[in-house]
Amino acid sequence: MLDLTAPVVVLTGAGVSAESGVPTFRGTGGLWRDYRATDLATPQAFRRDPRLVWEFYDWRRDVIAACEPNPAHHTIALMEQTLPDFTLITQNVDGLHQRAGSQNVLTLHGDIWIVRCTTCDYRSQDHRVPLPEIPPRCPRCESLLRPDVVWFGETLDADVLQRAWTAASRAGLMLVVGTSALVQPAASLPLLAQENGAMLIEVNPDETPLSPYANQHLRGPAGELLPDWWGRFQAGK
Ligand code: OAD
């Protein structure tokens, strides 16, 4: 029987936004021009060709700006409002959880709507689509700006990661929604939760490396299955 007062953690990945129209990283929509998204999200790519990387992010921001949160985002926002002990951890940088009403989001991989300077400490929200200048420059020191996202090979924000570890290690229930569970350290969070006694539920149409460890699988699109599951959970079923 699931305990409604136990700490609940939701970990999301690109799949939670798939039904909103945001391309996942490793799915069929993960290509831009002829580049893999995962090849452009690196410090090396940015050093080599900042314009190309910014053109990619400008395109992604444009796609995301036209998307709306889907029933999975809305259900997760409702969980935060309803449950006494709830944490949302996302690998997504798209801001759709926040637009659905989630208040406290641990953004493990940063936020595509924040830019920061590569030289000084300038950091700001920037929702302009398309950007008027590519690559954008720092209004303070004229150096290149970059998106405030974590690229491959970069370390995650230590404070955000620590809070995610703490939440995972004390969870009674963890839902893992729409992630291929391939990218560390996010992929370790469900295993840490389980080692500490949490029940794991995976919400994903496909098998992932996490699937063998999950106590329950909701095999299908999160936007369809999560609202239903939440109704049953609240009814104690
Ligand atoms: P992936 O693109 O690797 O995986 C998306 C997952 O979502 C896959 O397992 C799909 O089966 C699943 N999926 C697709 N449609 C779904 C739906 N409607 N409902 C539920 N699940 C669905 O994305 P992530 O796991 O988020 O990192 O990738 C992790 C990280 O790798 C990203 O945050 C990004 C990426 O490169 C950085 O940018 C640092």
Side-chain angles (χ1 to χ4, degrees), residues 84-215:
D85 191 333
F86 177 83
T87 307
L88 170 60
I89 307 167
T90 188
Q91 297 167 85
N92 298 345
V93 299
D94 57 31
L96 289 179
H97 283 303
Q98 294 87 334
R99 279 174 53 198
S102 288
Q103 302 277 326
N104 296 304
V105 190
L106 294 179
T107 49
L108 277 184
H109 293 165
D111 184 335
I112 202 169
W113 301 109
I114 297 178
V115 293
R116 66 178 160 89
C117 183
T118 51
T119 305
C120 75
D121 62 3
Y122 177 81
R123 187 170 177 273
S124 175
Q125 291 265 349
D126 187 335
H127 288 266
R128 292 172 302 169
V129 170
L131 285 164
E133 180 197 19
I134 289 189
R137 299 259 162 201
C138 176
R140 276 201 207 136
C141 76
E142 282 295 307
S143 300
L144 281 174
L145 290 175
R146 59 166 283 178
D148 193 17
V149 299
V150 178
W151 284 328
F152 284 100
E154 294 185 320
T155 47
L156 277 58
D157 181 279
D159 176 53
V160 174
L161 184 58
Q162 183 55 50
R163 286 159 66 197
W165 279 114
T166 304
S169 59
R170 55 186 289 283
L173 169 65
M174 188 175 210
L175 279 100
V176 185
V177 186
T179 176
S180 57
L182 290 171
V183 175
Q184 296 294 350
S188 295
L189 292 168
L191 301 176
L192 173 72
Q194 193 171 53
E195 270 168 29
N196 286 278
M199 176 182 172
L200 285 188
I201 301 180
E202 181 177 62
V203 187
N204 197 314
D206 295 327
E207 290 264 324
T208 75
L210 185 72
S211 301
Y213 302 95
N215 304 91

Side-chain angles (χ1 to χ4, degrees), residues 1 20 35 47 62 68 82 91 133 171 195 224-225 235 237:
M1 183 58 160
S20 295
Y35 300 95
R47 267 197 301 275
D62 191 40
E68 294 296 331
T82 313
Q91 297 167 85
E133 180 197 19
E195 270 168 29
E224 287 176 25
L225 299 187
K237 292 182 198 156

Side-chain angles (χ1 to χ4, degrees), residues 60-75:
R60 233 181 132 81
R61 286 161 56 108
D62 191 40
V63 170
I64 294 166
C67 295
E68 294 296 331
N70 69 56
H73 298 106
H74 289 301
T75 301

